[in-house]
Amino acid sequence: KQEVTQIPAALSVPEGENLVLNCSFTDSAIYNLQWFRQDPGKGLTSLLLIQSSQREQTSGRLNASLDKSSGRSTLYIAASQPGDSATYLCAVPTFTGNQFYFGTGTSLTVIP
Amino acid sequence: GAGVSQTPSNKVTEKGKYVELRCDPISGHTALYWYRQSLGQGPEFLIYFQGTGAADDSGLPNDRFFAVRPEGSVSTLKIQRTERGDSAVYLCASSLTQGAREQFFGPGTRLTVL
């Protein structure tokens, strides 16, 4: 069974700082990897989907990288803002897409 | 609708009661997933529908949990004889087709069993 781990569990940074969130997975035979944002009491918002054939994907101040062979993905947030404060989750599907495995998330606080 | 919707947003019930949670996916999305999320944890897979059929229900914790999607659109998650341990946020997601496609989530239903 795929296991997904996210480190750190919590992170607090001053506004304007660049930061990296980490996601690791045990089974490298993945189809893609998706990063989500979750605000308190809310559902998940998709941020980036990176296919297994890609090495990175960018959207605005966000950049996700994927290294399948080492079982790792990183989410880079540039010039962090207080509005970026949320929990960030990564998820990987089984190859059939029948199930998705989530990490426990990184809770980010950006201090004004 | 524009996104995935779930009703109710909050449900408080007593131990032993029956509850139904509804999910309305994005129009045209054939794949639908239910997840359960406990405090401080990531979502845990419950069941996956492709069209009307449950293609994978291996995440359902026991036979008190059941889900249907009779017309291939709206889905209902049903929990019988609720227990306090069922308290969690129940999330629904849909994706355009089968396979490991991008998922879009609803806001969730927060279930509290007293």
Side-chain angles (χ1 to χ4, degrees), chain A residues 35-46:
Chain A
W35 281 94
F36 294 89
R37 168 189 173 130
Q38 186 172 32
D39 292 283
K42 306 289 186 183
L44 279 66
T45 301
S46 178

Side-chain angles (χ1 to χ4, degrees), chain B residues 45-61:
Chain B
F45 168 79
L46 294 177
I47 186 169
Y48 158 61
F49 286 91
Q50 179 55 42
T52 60
D56 188 337
D57 64 358
S58 61
L60 295 177

Side-chain angles (χ1 to χ4, degrees), chain A residues 31-32 34 36 38 41-49 51 89 93-105, chain B residues 33 35 37 40-45 47-48 55-56 58-59 89 91 98-108 110:
Chain A
Y31 191 85
N32 58 41
Q34 198 168 354
F36 294 89
Q38 186 172 32
K42 306 289 186 183
L44 279 66
T45 301
S46 178
L47 297 173
L48 287 165
L49 175 74
Q51 301 291 351
L89 295 144
T94 55
F95 211 78
T96 58
N98 283 12
Q99 297 192 24
F100 283 71
Y101 295 97
F102 281 81
T104 53
Chain B
Y33 303 79
Y35 295 86
Q37 186 176 26
Q41 300 297 314
E44 290 182 306
F45 168 79
I47 186 169
Y48 158 61
D56 188 337
S58 61
V89 176
L91 295 164
Q98 65 183 21
R101 311 300 180 193
E102 185 174 10
Q103 292 196 316
F104 298 89
F105 278 78
R110 180 174 298 279

Side-chain angles (χ1 to χ4, degrees), chain A:
Chain A
K1 179 185 170 182
Q2 178 77 270
E3 291 186 9
V4 182
T5 305
Q6 291 187 247
I7 295 173
L11 182 63
S12 183
V13 300
E15 181 177 2
E17 195 161 294
N18 303 326
L19 58 103
V20 173
L21 308 180
N22 298 289
C23 172
S24 61
F25 44 93
T26 54
D27 185 349
S28 62
I30 64 169
Y31 191 85
N32 58 41
L33 184 144
Q34 198 168 354
W35 281 94
F36 294 89
R37 168 189 173 130
Q38 186 172 32
D39 292 283
K42 306 289 186 183
L44 279 66
T45 301
S46 178
L47 297 173
L48 287 165
L49 175 74
I50 182 164
Q51 301 291 351
S52 62
S53 58
Q54 297 176 308
R55 294 192 69 83
E56 61 179 58
Q57 188 73 258
T58 298
S59 175
R61 294 182 294 108
L62 306 180
N63 176 277
S65 68
L66 177 63
D67 183 344
K68 270 183 54 177
S69 60
S70 66
R72 290 187 300 184
S73 175
T74 61
L75 179 66
Y76 174 83
I77 303 177
S80 58
Q81 302 171 357
D84 295 331
S85 298
T87 296
Y88 291 80
L89 295 144
C90 64
V92 293
T94 55
F95 211 78
T96 58
N98 283 12
Q99 297 192 24
F100 283 71
Y101 295 97
F102 281 81
T104 53
T106 293
S107 176
L108 172 66
T109 302
V110 181
I111 304 166

